[in-house]
Amino acid sequence: MVQAAEFALLSSSRGLNQRTESGVIMVISESLQTTNIISGAIEAPRYSCALGGAYSTAVGIFGVVPILHSGAGCGIGQLFGQFYGGGQNAGGPYGGTSTPCSSLVEEHVIFGGEKKLANLIESTVELVNGELFAVISGCVPSLIGDDVGSVIRRYKEKNPNVPIIHVNTSGFAGTSYDGYEYFFDAVIDQLLEKAPKEKGLVNVFGIVPSQHIFWKGEAREIKTLLEKIGLKANLIVGEFDALENLKKIPAAEYNIVLSSWIGHKTANKLEEKFDTPFISFPGVPVGPKQTSEFLRVVGERLDVSANIIEDLIAREERRAYRFAEYIGDILLIVRPHPYLAVVADSNAAVSITKYLANEVGYLPDIVQITDNPPEEARELINEELTTGLETPAWPEIIYEVDAYRIRQNLKDRNFLFLLASSLESNIAGPEFNAIHLTVSFPSYDRVVLEHSYAGFSGGLTLLEDIMSKYAGPL
Amino acid sequence: MSGTELTENELIEERIDLSRATCPNREQRANGINVWYGKASNLVKEARSGCLRQRERNFQQSSGCVLNFYLSVRIGTIRDAVAIYHAPVGCSSSALGYRELYRHVPVELGRPANYDLHWITTNIGEKDVVYGAGEKLGAAILEAEKRYNPKAIFILTSCTSGIIGEDIEGVVAKFQPQVKATIVPIHCEGSRSKLVQTGYDAFWHAVLKYLVKKPEKKQKDLVNVASMLSYTWQDRLEIKRLLGKVGLRVNFVPEFASVEQFEQLSEAAVTAPLCPTYTDYLARGLEQEYGIPYFLYPSPMGVAHTDEWLREIARHTGKEKEVEALIKEEHEKWLPKLKAIRHEFENFKGNGEKVEVLGALGQGRLLAQVPYFDELGLKSSAAMCQDFDNLILKDLEKLLVQMGDFDILVNTFQAAEQTHITNQRDPDIAMTCPFQGGAFKRDKGVTRVHALRSDPHPWSAQSGYTGAIAFGNFLLQSLKSHSYQRTMKEKTQSTYKDWWYRQPNSLYYLQAED
């Protein structure tokens, strides 16, 4: 009989407590090698399944029509669980109940769902406006052994001009983050062909639609920044012209990955297949310091003139810090040098904590990382959240996906702010006496359309959001 | 078409067999279908003669399953319980709003200040699919007990747990002796049925089998009301207000109820519906097992139906006189307001024509809405409903006698079909579920069928007398601006190609019968 041992497995935190040089406890996890190591039960984890991630990626690239080869509830489930959770977004023209779905039931479990899928593909292409059709397999076809690949091959033989791919995944094949990689894996294998390199063209990966709640605003800001230094940025997510953008992926001179681990599989595969080198950052840059560093590194790799970069940084910094003067009073009079707790995916956790610690004087007390990054990435994340911080005491870093333990870990601390998800919106005040802001998935209490904290002025936007939670007459 | 008429016994499998692990599917239990378009009179005829058959479509859209339509977002609201999803991690992501549900209801309106809801996923992975996940489920049960000491632990199954053949009853038998909580397994594998309503029956089956206790005493003033979250907090308050005025108390289950409230279902005087098709299995089960009378029609929507609903309850509680006095008092207060709304609708077009509305959602709402719209002076020559089964056949027949014929599109959230019928019918007000695809992009009125969550604002009420007035005003409001839907129609691309709107058949992709 398995007792709590099974649960111990899922805790990737509190492994080896290593004492760092400064005497601050840093928590390094036990040997966690892959993204799928969590095998036990979990209380309310902050992500969905691989199908959910592949599906929200497809819906997040405007012009892709997802076709779910799955049970009928997968689309609606992800509408509630991914799209609403990702900042209360509707499914849009191809998500939720607009998504074609083979709606498999018992008879297909017995007789197979291939015929049904073949019919669905035919009718979808006939009926639905779209540029690329992406069949995404769920649990049922994986369990019953449907040969989806051959259904699609047969369709392609008859209809060579219809762009269609198969994202061969399932609900039990991983998390939303894995689903993002599965989507691009299918694009690379089934859609992309070698193309001559285009000077100045860069692809950007690592931002997962819905799962990273500020994905649209982040993509737009990064595109603008890269364009300002003369590069052509292919963000793919949050952009129109899906097919054209996906097809030009191999032509890029460089791939930029804005995550310590998500998008790395995709970037590695593109390097192998199309010789595109990549460079990665721990997250989307927030505020002037991170954004300047981002631009300098990118500029150096892509031979952008240092003058262009430095001119831009000088102009943008001047403006951002002139505006930062405006927060001086509410910061210093009301909540100066506050202790801070963060519960977020690794991208947001690193960028936001660094900004607040390094530019606003916040004191990070605890950072809980909820997206279960692999071991290699944890080393980098730990470094970012220790030596990367200009702060006298390093935060405790915990990798945790279980909602119960995340809540336990927040007890008996003295943080004033809890930057987390909407799961914390109702407990932050009564249980921790902290001011709460949702900065991470799920975000049922915040509508997020274009908002983001990316770029030079992104830090100010973050401060507006935090301070609006407690602002009053000074 | 002209076969002999089926008896009630042949139309519905009435006996509820609690010795089984779960209910029969709605397909078997009451010949449920979710594809049909035509005259309601023909639907009734086909159903009555046993000719009505489920048919296949060549184009389908995601529409919800037995687990992920209702159960995944609602079972977690039961207060002193833990829900365990025996499923891959994505099947429960829709439950991630659990800590926020009901929090917008002010404590002053009756929400308890302190409560905590919990759910766990067994997170079935690739290895479990091969080796089984029963031990993980057991570990989750023990952990749920350890963490929260709940009164009940619900287990919700999934396509995957079903297809890999997990022995749920075996796990329950093995672990029940180790925990104080009552373990309640709900067989809601998404792939078991095409009809999302099977999920209701599967849930009530588990409640009846595991949670409801033998009555210790009869509570003659207690009325069971199964209330879905699509009925708002204000609807609850209205029902409490009305029944409270005649000295009756309400036992609202399942959402936000305590486990004790389930245990006491057997002690009530009567089970009354908000939605008949939702309440059906519970009501029949309570009658069969504990002799609690029930009725399924009408629902308390609109003035006339609220009157009848109250009278039905009065019959079982000996409150006939009090209820008649109540009805009289309420009519005096609300009928002038209803008249004013009716007047406004009647004059809206200015040419004597009625305002046309395309509404409904579930088959229960269909029965309630059509007469209510008539009360408001609206015309509903067509309605849509998610599915249809013989459980409402008699009541639909009654409705036809009362209201005359109308068209019905039976489909579970098929957005392309709904967009098509909305476009073709071009009603003044198209009512939509909050997530029904692109049907809202049009030149005329659009509004929602109901609030999706427990909206506490009086403006969102639909039940009882206050609800009849509030909903009437709500519908009037929908006629006052078309700017969002019109702008979206003009400025965004349609999901479907133009030919779809030019051809006449909403069920264009219906497969020919074999």
Side-chain angles (χ1 to χ4, degrees):
Chain A
M1 191 178 68
V2 179
Q3 294 229 358
E6 193 65 50
F7 262 76
L9 249 187
L10 68 90
S11 168
S12 48
S13 73
R14 309 273 193 201
L16 307 168
N17 285 347
Q18 289 186 347
R19 231 155 243 288
T20 58
E21 281 169 304
S22 62
V24 173
I25 290 189
M26 214 177 93
V27 179
I28 308 285
S29 61
E30 285 173 291
S31 57
L32 296 174
Q33 301 297 324
T34 75
T35 54
N36 294 324
I37 195 72
I38 294 175
S39 60
I42 315 169
E43 188 165 326
R46 292 152 204 241
Y47 46 73
S48 184
C49 59
L51 171 137
Y55 177 42
S56 64
T57 304
V59 169
I61 303 173
F62 306 154
V64 177
V65 179
I67 298 175
L68 294 177
H69 187 37
S70 69
C74 293
I76 277 206
Q78 301 316 315
L79 172 66
F80 292 164
Q82 287 270 214
F83 306 148
Y84 292 172
Q88 287 292 358
N89 283 204
Y94 305 123
T97 52
S98 296
T99 303
C101 176
S102 56
S103 305
L104 303 173
V105 288
E106 232 146 52
E107 63 194 75
H108 309 107
V109 172
I110 298 162
F111 300 111
E114 292 168 19
K115 177 96 199 328
K116 187 135 199 225
L117 176 63
N119 286 341
L120 180 67
I121 293 171
E122 292 269 356
S123 58
T124 300
V125 174
E126 185 177 75
L127 174 63
V128 177
N129 284 310
E131 298 169 22
L132 169 67
F133 298 87
V135 175
I136 301 169
S137 293
C139 299
V140 176
S142 309
L143 291 168
I144 64 176
D146 265 3
D147 187 354
V148 178
S150 78
V151 172
I152 290 175
R153 263 194 309 281
R154 280 199 298 275
Y155 181 82
K156 272 180 166 169
E157 278 163 21
K158 274 198 282 174
N159 305 274
N161 297 324
V162 176
I164 183 165
I165 57 171
H166 173 220
V167 187
N168 190 9
T169 180
S170 72
F172 51 81
T175 69
S176 302
Y177 301 104
D178 299 314
Y180 171 86
E181 307 273 11
Y182 285 124
F183 179 84
F184 282 106
D185 191 69
V187 166
I188 295 167
D189 284 342
Q190 299 167 47
L191 189 71
L192 302 189
E193 288 164 7
K194 263 205 175 338
K197 294 290 177 194
E198 195 180 325
K199 179 84 187 125
L201 178 65
V202 293
N203 305 312
V204 180
F205 296 103
I207 302 172
V208 182
S210 298
Q211 200 59 42
H212 292 133
I213 61 171
F214 302 112
W215 63 282
K216 297 185 236 57
E218 287 174 345
R220 192 173 195 183
E221 178 62 22
I222 295 300
K223 190 179 180 80
T224 308
L225 279 171
L226 294 171
E227 282 174 353
K228 279 183 181 165
I229 60 168
L231 298 175
K232 286 170 276 184
N234 188 21
L235 266 293
I236 308 162
V237 301
E239 295 198 285
F240 290 103
D241 306 319
L243 190 59
E244 192 189 323
N245 289 348
L246 288 168
K247 281 191 160 174
K248 71 186 182 196
I249 287 175
E253 207 183 335
Y254 241 98
N255 288 323
I256 296 173
V257 184
L258 295 173
S259 169
S260 56
W261 69 286
I262 302 150
H264 285 232
K265 276 187 190 148
T266 300
N268 275 314
K269 188 160 179 155
L270 290 170
E271 187 161 30
E272 271 167 39
K273 209 163 171 182
F274 302 114
D275 299 318
T276 320
F278 76 94
I279 174 177
S280 84
F281 297 85
V284 174
V286 172
K289 285 188 182 175
Q290 290 169 47
T291 308
S292 302
E293 193 194 337
F294 167 74
L295 290 173
R296 285 187 180 117
V297 174
V298 169
E300 201 183 291
R301 292 289 178 99
L302 280 134
D303 289 331
V304 181
S305 118
N307 288 342
I308 292 179
I309 304 275
E310 294 307 322
D311 276 358
L312 176 65
I313 290 174
R315 259 185 295 131
E316 292 289 339
E317 269 196 0
R318 188 180 179 207
R319 185 173 188 281
Y321 290 125
R322 173 65 186 81
F323 276 59
E325 303 238 26
Y326 289 123
I327 56 145
D329 288 2
I330 186 167
L331 176 71
L332 293 175
I333 295 173
V334 189
R335 288 280 187 279
H337 325 301
Y339 283 100
L340 167 71
V342 175
V343 183
D345 61 88
S346 52
N347 288 15
V350 170
S351 299
I352 286 175
T353 308
K354 272 180 82 173
Y355 172 73
L356 291 172
N358 294 353
E359 306 210 29
V360 201
Y362 278 43
L363 305 168
D365 174 6
I366 175 172
V367 180
Q368 298 197 68
I369 299 204
T370 57
D371 56 351
N372 191 33
E375 179 68 9
E376 318 79 88
R378 291 183 188 197
E379 284 170 30
L380 176 75
I381 294 164
N382 290 340
E383 199 180 305
E384 288 287 335
L385 292 175
T386 51
T387 54
L389 298 181
E390 297 165 28
T391 183
W394 292 343
E396 187 173 0
I397 305 163
I398 298 177
Y399 294 89
E400 187 54 80
V401 296
D402 183 277
Y404 170 80
R405 273 197 297 269
I406 286 171
R407 191 172 182 175
Q408 294 293 113
N409 293 338
L410 292 171
K411 285 188 174 157
D412 304 320
R413 295 175 181 274
N414 53 1
F415 54 84
L416 286 177
F417 291 100
L418 176 55
L419 303 194
S421 75
S422 62
L423 287 175
E424 282 70 34
S425 61
N426 292 303
I427 59 176
E431 284 177 34
F432 308 117
N433 201 16
I435 292 163
H436 168 269
L437 178 70
T438 291
V439 298
S440 178
F441 188 89
S443 172
Y444 290 100
D445 71 332
R446 278 191 83 169
V447 179
V448 186
L449 299 176
E450 299 230 61
H451 205 73
S452 95
Y453 303 137
F456 287 99
S457 59
L460 296 171
T461 308
L462 172 62
L463 292 176
E464 283 179 332
D465 291 346
I466 293 174
M467 290 167 172
S468 296
K469 293 270 180 163
Y470 67 82
L474 293 178
Chain B
M1 187 82 26
S2 61
T4 47
E5 287 202 354
L6 299 180
T7 63
E8 284 309 301
N9 247 343
E10 292 166 314
L11 286 168
I12 306 166
E13 195 178 316
E14 287 193 87
R15 166 102 196 133
I16 286 174
D17 186 354
L18 293 180
S19 70
R20 307 181 84 108
T22 188
C23 60
N25 289 342
R26 277 282 168 108
E27 287 94 330
Q28 286 81 48
R29 189 169 163 241
N31 195 34
I33 56 141
N34 64 0
V35 191
W36 209 85
Y37 188 33
K39 291 273 167 228
S41 56
N42 285 335
L43 176 63
V44 159
K45 224 183 287 168
E46 283 191 30
R48 183 58 71 189
S49 63
C51 298
L52 189 62
R53 288 204 291 135
Q54 173 74 356
R55 292 177 60 186
E56 285 290 325
R57 295 174 166 95
N58 280 327
F59 179 77
Q60 247 176 303
Q61 286 156 303
S62 179
S63 57
C65 65
V66 180
L67 168 65
N68 251 303
F69 167 69
Y70 172 76
L71 296 178
S72 59
V73 276
R74 299 302 178 233
I75 298 312
T77 67
I78 297 167
R79 274 186 283 154
D80 35 14
V82 177
I84 298 176
Y85 297 86
H86 194 38
V89 67
C91 297
S92 52
S93 63
S94 51
L96 273 169
Y98 71 118
R99 285 187 185 160
E100 293 157 82
L101 282 171
Y102 283 102
R103 288 284 170 177
H104 289 296
V105 179
V107 173
E108 300 79 61
L109 286 184
R111 172 177 70 78
N114 295 309
Y115 67 94
D116 223 11
L117 307 171
H118 318 287
W119 64 264
I120 290 171
T121 168
T122 55
N123 185 30
I124 291 179
E126 272 169 339
K127 240 172 63 186
D128 304 317
V129 166
V130 180
Y131 298 108
E135 291 198 336
K136 278 174 76 170
L137 176 59
I141 290 168
L142 297 180
E143 189 67 18
E145 173 97 347
K146 197 174 97 193
R147 287 181 181 185
Y148 300 113
N149 193 23
K151 292 212 173 80
I153 295 173
F154 292 94
I155 297 169
L156 295 107
T157 60
S158 61
C159 296
T160 299
S161 72
I163 294 170
I164 66 174
E166 287 288 286
D167 176 15
I168 305 295
E169 270 58 40
V171 173
V172 173
K174 184 171 164 190
F175 286 88
Q176 181 62 79
Q178 299 176 49
V179 294
K180 273 193 243 153
T182 307
I183 305 176
V184 187
I186 304 167
H187 286 270
C188 49
E189 300 84 5
S191 52
R192 71 174 275 187
S193 167
K194 285 178 181 159
L195 304 175
V196 294
Q197 300 195 112
T198 296
Y200 307 156
D201 298 352
F203 171 62
W204 293 126
H205 185 93
V207 165
L208 287 162
K209 186 174 164 86
Y210 293 95
L211 275 187
V212 180
K213 285 191 172 164
K214 287 209 172 87
E216 282 172 22
K217 54 176 192 297
K218 279 286 174 189
Q219 303 188 42
K220 285 183 180 160
D221 61 342
L222 192 64
V223 180
N224 291 327
V225 175
S227 158
M228 307 174 80
L229 213 61
S230 50
Y231 292 83
T232 68
W233 196 260
Q234 286 290 339
D235 293 324
R236 288 180 177 219
L237 293 181
E238 170 70 354
I239 284 162
K240 262 169 90 170
R241 179 184 75 87
L242 292 172
L243 295 183
K245 275 194 158 177
V246 296
L248 297 173
R249 294 177 299 124
V250 193
N251 186 17
F252 283 117
V253 287
E255 279 133 354
F256 208 53
S258 63
V259 171
E260 203 186 349
Q261 284 175 261
F262 288 94
E263 292 169 352
Q264 290 180 3
L265 283 165
S266 60
E267 298 182 354
V270 57
T271 304
L274 281 185
C275 169
T277 190
Y278 175 66
T279 311
D280 179 273
Y281 200 94
L282 173 71
R284 285 177 203 269
L286 289 173
E287 191 203 38
Q288 178 187 301
E289 300 294 314
Y290 306 105
I292 297 181
Y294 70 90
F295 67 97
L296 294 169
Y297 187 85
S299 303
M301 175 177 274
V303 171
H305 277 193
T306 301
D307 295 347
E308 279 315 304
W309 186 80
L310 287 168
R311 287 185 180 119
E312 282 286 350
I313 291 173
R315 250 167 244 144
H316 298 290
T317 50
K319 298 282 184 184
E320 288 92 340
K321 254 195 239 153
E322 291 90 332
V323 157
E324 288 309 322
L326 172 69
I327 290 172
K328 187 163 175 284
E329 187 188 326
E330 295 288 323
H331 279 201
E332 276 166 19
K333 186 167 176 190
W334 301 108
L335 286 185
K337 292 191 166 70
L338 184 72
K339 204 174 152 196
I341 294 168
R342 203 184 155 97
H343 185 73
E344 205 172 327
F345 274 126
E346 275 165 0
N347 292 308
F348 180 78
K349 291 201 160 177
N351 60 1
E353 275 181 31
K354 283 183 173 181
V355 170
E356 171 109 24
V357 61
L358 177 63
L361 183 64
Q363 55 179 3
R365 209 172 270 271
L366 172 81
L367 297 174
Q369 240 179 27
V370 173
Y372 170 58
F373 288 162
D374 185 57
E375 235 171 40
L376 291 175
L378 296 166
K379 185 175 158 201
S380 42
S381 56
M384 300 190 278
C385 65
Q386 287 179 312
D387 32 31
F388 172 82
D389 59 43
N390 290 340
L391 295 176
I392 68 154
L393 179 56
K394 255 199 290 188
D395 296 326
L396 184 58
E397 285 166 340
K398 250 188 264 171
L399 185 70
L400 276 165
V401 171
Q402 186 194 343
M403 301 299 309
D405 213 351
F406 56 94
D407 288 346
I408 294 186
L409 175 69
V410 182
N411 83 11
T412 316
F413 298 134
Q414 294 303 303
E417 291 171 13
Q418 300 196 351
T419 305
H420 189 273
I421 186 179
T422 306
N423 201 276
Q424 278 229 321
R425 292 266 165 184
D426 198 27
D428 300 296
I429 304 172
M431 300 184 68
T432 168
C433 198
F435 39 84
Q436 243 162 32
F440 74 92
K441 295 178 188 174
R442 58 195 305 264
D443 287 323
K444 295 183 181 174
V446 167
T447 195
R448 67 177 187 215
V449 176
H450 60 73
L452 193 59
R453 292 202 292 180
S454 189
D455 187 339
H457 199 282
W459 174 74
S460 290
Q462 296 190 349
S463 294
Y465 302 109
T466 59
I469 303 306
F471 195 21
N473 281 317
F474 186 93
L475 288 173
L476 270 176
Q477 211 175 328
S478 75
L479 290 166
K480 294 183 178 172
S481 172
H482 301 159
S483 72
Y484 177 63
Q485 62 262 32
R486 182 173 289 155
T487 308
M488 292 301 285
K489 187 182 181 220
E490 281 169 12
K491 300 291 185 188
T492 62
Q493 188 188 37
S494 164
T495 303
Y496 315 105
K497 292 179 180 162
D498 289 343
W499 68 262
W500 177 244
Y501 302 101
R502 287 198 303 264
Q503 62 82 31
N505 187 1
S506 298
L507 290 186
Y508 177 88
Y509 281 113
L510 192 66
Q511 271 178 17
E513 285 192 271
D514 300 334

